[in-house]
Amino acid sequence: MASGKGSNLEAILEASKKGMCPVNVALVLSNREKAGALAIARREGITACFINPADFPDRESFDLACMEAIIKSNAEWVILAGYMRILTPTFVDRFRNRIVNIHPSLLPAFPGAHAVSDALEYGVKMTGVTVHLVDEVLDGGPILAQEAVPVEEGDTVETLHARIQSCEHRLYPATIARLMEKPFRLDGRRVIWE
Ligand code: GRF
């Protein structure tokens, strides 16, 4: 599921082609008609599905339509790659511990939609990338992987986000590959790889 340009989707597809990430992307679903991620899906011959939030009276009914599309695609995992909507508890529960998200900060620092500018304004010297399971709390689920990215003097939101994104493009496919290859269990919030 993606709302933006789709560079993380592209990284996952590239890694999969190189045999470094054993996934078949069954469906790319977006809430934005113009999302670059949908164009990438069409180019790659992957089912691209736009579901318009304006066609639904509330979040619940919109998410039910998304759930139906995902179930129909037979996807086993839901990978959020720049999906800018908060999932309803019904959705989270249907795919419990099978929804993964990538966030451009070292969570729990700087959750939310402005993580890169928030980190820059706060003045941290180190930020990074978090890949985590999705639960009902925004950017709050158990952490699967993290990598630090230094903030450099003279960084702007754009230069810092670019450095964070190169990290994302390595870490997301690698973490998804690990998820496909190794089972994990949860000890409270802690992810224990078997
Ligand atoms: C990424 O920075 C990700 O961390 C955040 O949204 C951005 C999506 O970028 N959740 P892209 O659409 O994959 O290029």
Side-chain angles (χ1 to χ4, degrees), residues 51-66 85:
I51 302 185
N52 190 351
D55 290 344
F56 298 87
D58 49 28
R59 286 174 55 220
E60 195 68 35
S61 52
F62 172 80
D63 268 15
L64 282 177
C66 294
R85 282 177 68 95

Side-chain angles (χ1 to χ4, degrees), residues 2-193:
S3 308
K5 66 180 194 281
S7 68
N8 279 286
L9 167 66
E10 203 155 30
I12 293 164
L13 293 171
E14 281 307 307
S16 146
K17 279 183 199 163
K18 289 181 190 153
M20 289 159 63
C21 185
V23 293
N24 284 315
V25 179
L27 170 73
V28 173
L29 198 161
S30 185
N31 61 315
R32 287 196 44 233
E33 193 170 19
K34 299 260 151 53
L38 288 177
I40 293 169
R42 289 189 199 104
R43 186 191 76 203
E44 297 292 325
I46 297 165
T47 307
C49 175
F50 162 58
I51 302 185
N52 190 351
D55 290 344
F56 298 87
D58 49 28
R59 286 174 55 220
E60 195 68 35
S61 52
F62 172 80
D63 268 15
L64 282 177
C66 294
M67 278 165 59
E68 268 178 35
I70 294 167
I71 292 164
K72 206 172 133 209
S73 77
N74 287 320
E76 291 171 32
W77 289 83
V78 179
I79 308 293
L80 307 183
Y83 184 65
M84 300 308 283
R85 282 177 68 95
I86 296 167
L87 298 170
T88 55
T90 312
F91 187 106
V92 172
D93 203 42
R94 175 62 181 74
F95 302 106
R96 173 86 48 201
N97 294 334
R98 295 199 157 252
I99 311 172
V100 187
N101 184 40
I102 186 154
H103 183 78
S105 76
L106 291 175
L107 289 170
F110 311 116
H114 308 288
V116 180
S117 56
D118 288 349
L120 196 59
E121 275 164 33
Y122 194 93
V124 290
K125 301 297 184 198
M126 199 61 88
T127 183
V129 175
T130 302
V131 180
H132 65 94
L133 295 172
V134 172
D135 66 10
E136 284 81 358
V137 179
L138 177 67
D139 298 326
I143 292 171
L144 295 162
Q146 285 187 307
E147 203 171 301
V149 173
V151 180
E152 286 171 10
E153 265 179 52
D155 256 342
T156 61
V157 174
E158 290 71 32
T159 57
L160 180 56
H161 198 197
R163 207 167 324 109
I164 286 174
Q165 286 230 291
S166 357
C167 176
E168 291 184 338
H169 299 159
R170 273 182 290 105
L171 190 64
Y172 213 6
T175 308
I176 293 166
R178 193 174 188 190
L179 274 175
M180 300 302 119
E181 284 156 4
K182 276 190 181 189
F184 68 87
R185 68 185 166 81
L186 289 173
D187 175 11
R189 288 190 45 86
R190 297 180 67 194
V191 173
I192 316 285
W193 298 96

